[in-house]
Amino acid sequence: MNFLAHIYLSGDNELITIGNLVGDGVRGNKYKLYPTEIQIGIQLHRHIDTFTDAHPIFRQCTKRLHKGYGHYSGVIVDIFFDHFLAKNWTTYSDVPLAEYIDAFYKSLSKNIEILPLRFKRITPAMIEGNWLLSYATIEGIQTVLNGMNHRTEGRSKMDEATKELREYYDAFETDFTSFFEELMTFSVKKRVEIEAEFNF
């Protein structure tokens, strides 16, 4: 899953949410260098990614893209799923999306000193470009994919993937809805288990 989903699936704890966001920026056992709540979030992030990558619905979605994008297909589906979460936000939260995101940006800014280096670097751009809110539109997703394609020096061709998003839009949205219900249930259960392991 991409940024917005990881944030949403974290619950209400500020530092667990940040840990879940930055999970990709912390390798191996280096998570132990962070405060307990951040560690819990990082562990939750890893479990969410493992659950997602192995799930048959997610795999079905990547197959629609594999011919054109190879091993980048999973990354693209992650981004597509953030789009459907943002687009259908009122299904999942009573807090308006813009308000929810603004509160998260404030939390991220307040805690920027404890972020991994990669996230210290991208946080200002994330906030300035309002990446999380932009996921709600296809145009916003296009901007995200353009940036990711640029970072792969054009090898991924991810900037072309909105073509498939439009072509299979209803199928991707149906798959997201089914999958996300399962992922929410899994994430709540797993967060409780991890918190118990940390005696939190």
Side-chain angles (χ1 to χ4, degrees):
M1 301 305 290
N2 202 47
F3 291 154
L4 185 60
H6 277 294
I7 294 164
Y8 174 78
L9 293 167
S10 300
D12 297 326
N13 182 286
E14 184 176 48
L15 292 183
I16 290 176
T17 301
I18 289 173
N20 198 351
L21 172 75
V22 305
D24 282 336
V26 182
R27 300 298 179 192
N29 287 332
K30 290 185 178 179
Y31 75 92
K32 294 180 180 179
L33 301 173
Y34 292 88
T36 297
E37 291 109 312
I38 298 283
Q39 292 186 43
I40 292 169
I42 292 168
Q43 292 286 70
L44 180 60
H45 178 109
R46 292 175 178 180
H47 283 289
I48 287 170
D49 281 357
T50 299
F51 178 88
T52 298
D53 291 344
H55 199 284
I57 293 178
F58 187 83
R59 288 174 173 268
Q60 175 178 289
C61 289
T62 63
K63 284 178 182 176
R64 294 191 191 107
L65 301 171
H66 198 268
K67 183 177 180 181
Y69 307 99
H71 67 274
Y72 295 106
S73 299
V75 178
I76 295 168
V77 174
D78 283 341
I79 294 166
F80 286 1
F81 279 10
D82 256 15
H83 166 66
F84 291 114
L85 175 56
K87 177 198 168 193
N88 298 297
W89 183 258
T90 55
T91 302
Y92 303 103
S93 176
D94 294 329
V95 180
L97 180 59
E99 184 180 324
Y100 179 92
I101 289 171
D102 185 59
F104 176 73
Y105 287 154
K106 288 176 181 174
S107 170
L108 202 57
S109 297
K110 182 177 70 175
N111 292 286
I112 196 165
E113 288 307 314
I114 62 174
L115 301 181
L117 182 58
R118 174 192 166 201
F119 283 87
K120 283 182 182 176
R121 288 174 174 165
I122 70 171
T123 290
M126 177 189 293
I127 295 171
E128 178 68 24
N130 205 353
W131 293 0
L132 300 177
L133 190 62
S134 76
Y135 294 157
T137 66
I138 293 179
E139 292 75 18
I141 294 300
Q142 181 67 64
T143 300
V144 173
L145 293 171
N146 288 346
M148 298 193 77
N149 184 59
H150 178 72
R151 285 192 287 278
T152 66
E153 299 179 339
R155 291 188 303 274
S156 67
K157 301 190 183 302
M158 282 193 277
D159 59 316
E160 300 176 9
T162 49
K163 177 183 70 176
E164 283 84 2
L165 176 59
R166 293 178 190 275
E167 182 177 355
Y168 302 110
Y169 195 88
D170 290 344
F172 277 124
E173 186 164 21
T174 297
D175 286 341
F176 165 78
T177 301
S178 298
F179 167 73
F180 202 64
E181 287 295 324
E182 293 186 39
L183 181 58
M184 286 191 295
T185 300
F186 169 83
S187 298
V188 170
K189 181 173 180 288
K190 185 57 66 174
R191 188 174 72 246
V192 170
E193 291 175 1
I194 297 169
E195 288 174 354
E197 289 172 10
F198 280 85
N199 296 313
F200 180 73

